[in-house]
Amino acid sequence: SIESCDFNRVDTFLASGSVDNTVRIWDMKNYNCIKTLELHLNPQDQSNFNFVFSVKFSPDNKWLAASGSEDQCIWLWDTATYKCRVKYKGHFQYIHYLIFSRDSDLLISIDTLGYARLWEVPINKINNDSLAILDNGSEEIKQVFWNHSSNEITFIDTKLQKFVWQLGGKPD
């Protein structure tokens, strides 16, 4: 079964993330699967809970991001070759939402504990850490809105509380 899907900007490809730990790339012209990407999780993991919770193409179509379940990482593939270029690490729970900035230079990941992390795309080769972390107080974030003109990111949690994160500043 499919957990997440996303079209690229020109609607020529669809990425789908599944419960079988794979991301499939579909050619929308012929409706064929042209590539299968596998998230290589810990072989010691016996939970059988290796869903791909979120897939997202970058607005410039150069990147495809996907989040796995047990590894709590984000995988970033170059869409020209579909080779994994970066594996972002730092979350402590499943990542269920991904969103790119309009210029595709930043990526936000959100986990089920209510943490959001901001990442550089592609990652700085020297530093593998996220650029910033937002903790909304342990409520799961359900919706994210990125106002690119003001550089504000609004998060809505399960209690319908709103948090605004001004990039370059602290969350309100």
Side-chain angles (χ1 to χ4, degrees):
S1 109
I2 295 173
E3 288 291 311
S4 178
C5 60
D6 189 42
F7 283 99
N8 70 344
R9 291 288 278 197
V10 290
D11 295 336
T12 52
F13 296 106
L14 173 76
S16 62
S18 302
V19 297
D20 65 355
N21 197 35
T22 63
V23 174
R24 288 182 174 79
I25 309 300
W26 302 88
D27 178 348
M28 296 312 295
K29 184 177 177 183
N30 302 316
Y31 303 105
N32 293 328
C33 178
I34 59 169
K35 192 77 170 169
T36 301
L37 310 170
E38 188 171 344
L39 280 66
H40 300 285
L41 304 179
N42 183 351
Q44 313 307 328
D45 176 26
Q46 301 299 315
S47 71
N48 295 319
F49 190 61
N50 293 324
F51 299 169
V52 177
F53 280 120
S54 185
V55 293
K56 187 62 93 177
F57 280 104
S58 63
D60 65 4
N61 289 326
K62 291 181 181 178
W63 304 104
L64 174 65
S67 63
S69 51
E70 289 298 319
D71 73 345
Q72 302 154 4
C73 296
I74 303 117
W75 298 65
L76 188 70
W77 286 279
D78 174 345
T79 59
T81 62
Y82 285 106
K83 295 218 184 293
C84 183
R85 299 293 179 205
V86 177
K87 188 175 176 184
Y88 299 103
K89 299 176 183 180
H91 282 280
F92 299 105
Q93 191 54 269
Y94 312 127
I95 301 160
H96 67 97
Y97 196 88
L98 300 167
I99 186 171
F100 281 95
S101 62
R102 184 179 294 158
D103 62 7
S104 303
D105 288 343
L106 299 173
L107 175 67
I108 291 179
S109 57
I110 299 166
D111 68 28
T112 55
L113 290 176
Y115 288 93
R117 288 180 180 263
L118 181 68
W119 308 92
E120 182 181 8
V121 177
I123 198 162
N124 179 328
K125 300 291 187 218
I126 298 169
N127 186 356
N128 191 19
D129 294 334
S130 55
L131 298 173
I133 302 169
L134 168 72
D135 175 7
N136 79 334
S138 75
E139 283 298 318
E140 185 175 348
I141 296 169
K142 288 297 189 185
Q143 289 291 325
V144 180
F145 305 95
W146 194 327
N147 183 335
H148 295 281
S149 60
S150 68
N151 245 352
E152 285 183 346
I153 301 150
T154 302
F155 302 92
I156 308 295
D157 70 13
T158 53
K159 292 183 178 177
L160 301 180
Q161 295 176 320
K162 178 176 93 171
F163 300 87
V164 178
W165 192 5
Q166 177 71 42
L167 290 186
K170 301 254 185 219
D172 293 335

